[in-house]
Amino acid sequence: MSQLINKTGFIEDDWQGEILPFDAFWNGQDLPEEEPFGVAIDVATDPFDLQPWFGRVDMIVIPFAGFADGRGFSLARKLRQLGYQGRIRAQGHLLVDQFRAAMRVGIDQLEISDDLAARMPEHQWKAVPLSDSYQSHLNAA
Amino acid sequence: MARKFLPQIATGNDLLEGDVVYFTEQGDWTRKHSDAVVAETPEQAETLLGAATLFPHQVVGVYLADAQLVNGKPAPVHFREIFRTKGPSNYFHGKQAEV
Amino acid sequence: MYSYSNFDAAFVRDRVKEFRGQVERRLDGSLTEDEFKPLRLMNGLYLQLHAYMLRVAIPYGTLNGAQMRQLAHIADKWDKGYGHLTTRQNIQFNWPKLKDVPDILDALADVSMHAIQTSGNCIRNVTADHFAGAAADEIEDPRPTAELIRQWSTDHPEFAYLPRKFKVAVTGAPNDRAVTKAHDIGLRMVRNKAGEPGYEVVIGGGLGRTPMIGKVVRDFLPRADLLAYLEAILQVYNLSGRRDNKYKARIKILVHETGLEELKARIEETFARNQTLLEPVDAGVVARINASFAPPEWDRRAVPDIPHLDAGFRSFLDTNIAAHKQSDYAIVTVSTKPIGGTPGDVTSEQMRVLADLAERYSHDELRISHEQNVILPHVHRADLAVIYGRLREAGLHTANIGLVSDIIACPGMDYCALATARSIPVAQKISEAFSDLQAQHDIGDLKIKISGCINACGHHHVGHIGILGLDRAGVENYQITLGGDGTETAAIGERTGPGFAYDEIVPAIERIVNAYLDIRESAEEAFLDTYRRVGAEPFKAVLYPESNKANAA
Ligand code: SF4
């Protein structure tokens, strides 16, 4: 099992729809007609390829195989830069210490293993200050 | 080419202090190379490494290093391990200064 | 000099608090060592051979007297009374304890300093010409650019877990003193035909296992586009740099394997998109940065015209002084390399002397050079004699800048956990072998650079004579390269042949230097020029006389 985390702390998973692997989806599999659906991409996916479907996709799941692999941060930010407004979920090995960065690149929620959640309990995540960053400061319009 | 087996000791760095430590026969850690427990066979070496890595909150970067017996006590073989028992060569700091 | 805004100050305190928490979470088991390691590295903390090592950032090598004095205090209180200046303009403390590090970071924050991003697979502390704002040959001051990059790259959410470390250097002078071509990104401040300011952008330089000279990816980048372009390079690198092999993970390998043209196309495409998406940098922030690097109010005293009789002072003036923008000023380079000393080491006493001198005679500014020396950038010529006197009392007066004993050496196996051989004692012995300063002057401009392993922190590839220490079957062995150059005429040195044992390396270097003295056309022909004229053969002949004889037979 796993634990979902967002800015408010540990949360229940309210996701209802299907989650399709990007490959199947890309290869022309029929898309669910009405239900909301999500797409699980892999780290090699170019967010550009997903852009045509942004309006139909409700959630994009980005994998973090290991916390030291930072590709997911670029993928999330690129998705946002390209205009994706739905939910972004990061799934895998992410540390409390990366929570701030994850929120800033536009990730909405993290899904981590129960083991990791036990080692890094909710109060540690809630203690992360999500205040002003240098980058937002530089662009203070 | 199969390398000739040399006696092994287990070593790492103390998590809090950072200094070089060696695993002992009593199952704890010492600052002195000569007090390290020696594995005499490949099987013993494997057991030694297993035992020495059970202290992740005390010692980090644990590995096995070649040793030789001098007057029945283990002494380092490789120059890197010799330096680790002493300290830097440009100042009288580190282990050499603590004796 | 840049001084912290409220935001900078609060940010740095927050990071100290965060690191204090990380240490606690490491000790209570929330973080494993594997998880903690990159976090401590991003705060400058390494676990080295004998102890922890803390690398403190000196952004683009610039600091003031109060900051230097605080470094002295840290050296005394938590270390062994000295610090080590690095080839990336930082300072390292070799003996801190893990539990003290949060307090050390707080002490740094007290004087607007930190250790953030001095290690780890992130954008490292940005470096710049150590003569910035002072050098007579400068076209444009690189510090405002470097400061802007510091702010942008600090805690950048997208780029903290890159495939590998990422180094940026900036220069604003035609004489490249910042080794920009050996950086992941090198920026050279230029002007286009219309006279507008911008940058020439070089990527993919680097030393290490696969040394490469950087390649120009953009001839002219308008100044306002800088951050958007850097974001594009970093985003392409973060997504496509190799993560399967740490020796192939630097951007230089991506450039090499993808090809410059293809990579350039990807960068430009990303940049074109970013340009429309990123908000422009706030003009107020830029103005504030620019204003903080306004030149000091120059002292208009007359320069006394008295002859200097002291021979020591005369040779100091010969080697350690560089031309300043203001003709009545000089740039003083203070050598941290007395004969037989450890290159880059400065005691707390010496730090305090340097702090005093900076406050009194250099408009409160100091610089650290990548050559591990300390610079007083703005010294009125009338004060040179007094300064020399103070330096002499502190043992900081060695007149050897640019000479054979002004050696760059990495910590090597005396401190570094990655080392394969020692570097410091080799530097010490070479320096002793050439202890006669007069003879050093005769030899002239000669840069010897020593690394204790293939990672090349000692920049050996770009040394006129480079020395690389290796472990050959359990014995220290030293390879020599010749003809390297870290300036605007950058070149990677060529290996001469088999390496030399620890006790053979210094005589080998002496043979090279003697051969040079024999074959140079005149005293004006520097070592590198002679090497470029005659090639490696005459040097190989003196290095390997036996094989030479064998060939002749
Ligand atoms: S070159 Fe090697 S030995 Fe020297 S400091 Fe760098 S990693 Fe350590």
Side-chain angles (χ1 to χ4, degrees):
Chain A
M1 278 302 292
S2 58
Q3 177 62 56
L4 218 57
I5 306 160
N6 73 4
K7 278 182 186 162
T8 65
F10 283 11
I11 52 167
E12 294 294 322
D13 191 353
D14 64 350
W15 176 258
Q16 300 270 325
E18 255 185 284
I19 298 177
L20 306 171
F22 178 66
D23 275 349
F25 167 82
W26 181 241
N27 292 335
Q29 177 183 323
D30 287 342
L31 302 179
E33 282 298 321
E34 268 142 45
E35 306 292 294
F37 73 97
V39 180
I41 61 173
D42 68 50
V43 280
T45 307
D46 186 344
F48 211 62
D49 295 337
L50 259 166
Q51 201 177 22
W53 287 278
F54 278 175
R56 294 236 34 217
V57 175
D58 297 280
M59 177 163 81
I60 295 175
V61 181
I62 300 176
F64 280 80
F67 74 96
D69 185 341
R71 278 176 285 187
F73 295 107
S74 274
L75 290 175
R77 185 137 177 271
K78 215 168 161 178
L79 286 168
R80 294 300 185 206
Q81 286 174 340
L82 292 172
Y84 175 69
Q85 290 177 349
R87 186 187 303 196
I88 297 182
R89 176 181 289 187
Q91 192 176 53
H93 190 181
L94 275 150
L95 310 180
V96 166
D97 316 87
Q98 297 174 303
F99 191 45
R100 186 172 66 240
M103 294 295 116
R104 284 181 184 163
V105 293
I107 291 169
D108 298 298
Q109 49 187 220
L110 273 48
E111 184 182 344
I112 63 169
S113 72
D114 283 341
D115 281 354
L116 192 59
R119 204 147 51 74
M120 300 182 183
E122 185 176 20
H123 69 89
Q124 295 191 1
W125 298 85
K126 283 178 120 168
V128 176
L130 299 172
S131 48
D132 224 6
S133 71
Y134 264 108
Q135 294 73 34
S136 64
H137 212 70
L138 280 175
N139 298 328
Chain B
M1 192 179 72
R3 196 162 148 267
K4 187 173 156 287
F5 180 81
L6 290 174
Q8 302 286 304
I9 53 99
T11 179
N13 288 75
D14 185 84
L15 173 64
L16 271 176
E17 304 280 315
D19 55 349
V20 175
V21 290
Y22 304 94
F23 197 60
T24 70
E25 187 150 23
Q26 290 72 42
D28 59 15
W29 296 86
T30 174
R31 261 70 180 162
K32 280 167 71 183
H33 193 288
S34 55
D35 291 344
V37 61
V38 181
E40 311 262 9
T41 66
E43 295 72 34
Q44 284 180 8
E46 205 172 304
T47 314
L48 172 61
L49 185 62
T53 42
L54 294 175
F55 301 81
H57 300 300
Q58 191 188 339
V59 175
V60 297
V62 175
Y63 62 95
L64 295 175
D66 292 348
Q68 56 190 330
L69 291 176
V70 178
N71 302 326
K73 299 268 190 194
V77 176
H78 192 278
F79 63 91
R80 182 178 195 268
E81 293 307 317
I82 296 174
F83 294 147
R84 286 178 84 238
T85 65
K86 292 182 180 163
S89 51
N90 60 335
Y91 302 118
F92 194 65
H93 288 159
K95 281 195 175 352
Q96 59 198 343
E98 282 155 19
V99 185
Chain C
M1 253 181 81
Y2 183 78
S3 61
Y4 272 15
S5 65
N6 291 340
F7 175 76
D8 290 305
F11 175 87
V12 168
R13 281 297 170 198
D14 276 356
R15 295 286 75 73
V16 176
K17 213 173 119 209
E18 178 181 65
F19 186 66
R20 200 177 283 282
Q22 286 165 341
V23 172
E24 278 162 20
R25 287 168 53 237
R26 171 68 183 93
L27 298 178
D28 74 16
S30 299
L31 287 164
T32 65
E33 182 63 17
D34 282 350
E35 291 166 344
F36 178 61
K37 188 175 169 187
L39 302 175
R40 70 164 154 74
L41 288 175
M42 257 179 258
N43 284 283
L45 189 64
Y46 283 76
L47 185 47
Q48 291 289 35
L49 205 56
H50 312 294
Y52 282 100
M53 178 273 276
L54 182 68
R55 182 181 294 154
V56 174
I58 300 179
Y60 35 94
T62 300
L63 75 171
N64 63 27
Q67 291 173 324
M68 186 62 115
R69 209 169 275 112
Q70 186 76 333
L71 294 175
H73 167 69
I74 288 169
D76 285 338
K77 181 160 181 190
W78 290 290
D79 211 88
K80 295 190 190 291
Y82 72 103
H84 175 77
L85 307 175
T86 77
T87 53
R88 294 206 74 252
Q89 302 182 293
N90 294 320
I91 186 166
Q92 297 179 176
F93 294 108
N94 286 322
W95 304 95
K97 310 275 188 231
L98 178 61
K99 61 179 189 326
D100 293 332
V101 173
D103 292 340
I104 301 177
L105 297 180
D106 258 326
L108 289 169
D110 289 344
V111 291
S112 303
M113 293 182 85
H114 61 78
I116 297 164
Q117 287 169 226
T118 55
S119 178
N121 294 334
C122 51
I123 305 172
R124 300 287 188 87
N125 182 39
V126 54
T127 55
D129 185 349
H130 44 260
F131 288 171
D137 66 350
E138 183 172 277
I139 298 168
E140 200 103 37
D141 188 341
R143 291 171 302 166
T145 296
E147 173 57 27
L148 185 66
I149 295 173
R150 177 192 77 81
Q151 298 195 16
W152 160 78
S153 63
T154 298
D155 200 33
H156 196 298
E158 195 182 336
F159 305 129
Y161 294 87
L162 296 168
R164 199 77 177 84
K165 59 187 168 186
F166 202 93
K167 301 175 180 177
V168 183
V170 198
T171 181
N175 294 301
D176 184 0
R177 287 173 288 261
V179 211
T180 55
K181 287 183 178 159
H183 281 75
D184 296 283
I185 295 180
L187 297 171
R188 215 159 57 78
M189 306 186 75
V190 293
R191 297 205 169 234
N192 66 5
K193 286 203 190 77
E196 293 151 346
Y199 306 94
E200 177 191 82
V201 184
V202 170
I203 62 167
L207 301 175
R209 181 169 298 233
T210 321
M212 292 200 189
I213 300 295
K215 300 183 175 70
V216 177
V217 67
R218 189 56 118 82
D219 295 327
F220 183 79
L221 179 73
R223 188 173 288 180
D225 291 339
L226 179 65
L227 295 187
Y229 200 79
L230 294 182
E231 295 240 350
I233 297 176
L234 265 298
Q235 194 171 73
V236 168
Y237 170 59
N238 193 31
L239 288 173
S240 5
R242 287 182 63 169
R243 290 175 187 265
D244 58 333
N245 177 342
K246 82 170 199 174
Y247 297 112
K248 298 194 167 166
R250 295 286 291 271
I251 196 173
K252 64 189 173 188
I253 304 292
L254 185 64
V255 175
H256 184 70
E257 290 182 351
T258 314
L260 182 66
E261 286 313 310
E262 159 69 19
L263 200 66
K264 184 177 168 162
R266 276 196 240 166
I267 292 168
E268 291 289 342
E269 183 217 357
T270 307
F271 169 64
R273 220 172 37 225
N274 276 358
Q275 230 184 349
T276 58
L277 295 167
L278 289 178
E279 290 172 59
V281 178
D282 181 45
V285 175
V286 175
R288 185 173 176 278
I289 292 175
N290 286 340
S292 61
F293 294 105
E297 212 174 294
W298 304 115
D299 178 350
R300 288 299 170 217
R301 266 179 300 162
V303 181
D305 188 19
I306 39 168
H308 301 302
L309 300 176
D310 181 307
F313 182 46
R314 277 210 309 270
S315 67
F316 182 83
L317 290 178
D318 251 11
T319 45
N320 295 38
I321 303 298
H324 197 280
K325 280 182 176 169
Q326 303 292 323
S327 59
D328 43 1
Y329 270 74
I331 302 171
V332 176
T333 301
V334 179
S335 170
T336 69
K337 299 152 188 186
I339 298 306
T342 302
D345 276 11
V346 190
T347 66
S348 55
E349 269 319 296
Q350 292 175 326
M351 291 180 208
R352 291 192 181 93
V353 170
L354 290 163
D356 281 351
L357 291 176
E359 284 165 350
R360 233 184 274 183
Y361 304 110
S362 184
H363 297 273
D364 200 14
E365 258 198 65
L366 289 157
R367 306 286 172 75
I368 308 302
S369 76
H370 76 269
E371 283 164 329
Q372 302 176 289
N373 291 316
V374 182
I375 287 138
L376 294 161
H378 306 302
V379 174
H380 194 279
R381 287 184 178 270
D383 297 326
L384 287 171
V386 193
I387 289 177
Y388 177 73
R390 287 289 308 278
L391 291 174
R392 190 162 55 185
E393 281 163 28
L396 287 167
H397 62 301
T398 314
N400 63 348
I401 297 304
L403 302 182
V404 58
S405 62
D406 185 9
I407 299 169
I408 290 186
C410 79
M413 206 182 273
D414 288 302
Y415 297 92
C416 178
L418 301 172
T420 42
R422 286 171 294 173
S423 343
I424 291 170
V426 174
Q428 290 175 303
K429 291 200 172 96
I430 293 173
S431 155
E432 278 158 5
F434 294 97
S435 61
D436 178 1
L437 270 178
Q438 195 46 52
Q440 290 195 34
H441 277 265
D442 291 343
I443 297 164
D445 189 33
L446 177 51
K447 293 188 194 300
I448 298 182
K449 304 186 196 249
I450 312 173
S451 303
C453 83
I454 194 73
N455 287 330
C457 304
H459 296 182
H460 65 276
H461 297 295
V462 292
H464 301 166
I465 300 177
I467 301 173
L468 166 62
L470 295 169
D471 173 351
R472 283 277 175 266
V475 194
E476 287 168 297
N477 187 274
Y478 295 86
Q479 274 180 4
I480 296 175
T481 50
L482 295 175
D485 177 1
T487 69
E488 63 283 358
T489 46
I492 302 292
E494 279 173 60
R495 237 183 86 189
T496 55
F500 294 83
Y502 180 71
D503 52 9
E504 290 171 355
I505 182 65
V506 180
I509 300 301
E510 289 182 286
R511 292 206 294 283
I512 293 172
V513 173
N514 287 332
Y516 153 68
L517 292 175
D518 283 345
I519 54 187
R520 70 180 176 186
E521 281 183 331
S522 72
E524 277 68 52
E525 190 182 60
F527 178 86
L528 191 58
D529 300 325
T530 301
Y531 178 83
R532 284 179 174 164
R533 177 170 59 82
V534 302
E537 285 316 314
F539 299 103
K540 286 188 189 171
V542 296
L543 282 176
Y544 310 104
E546 305 79 17
S547 73
N548 221 46
K549 263 178 235 143
N551 286 346

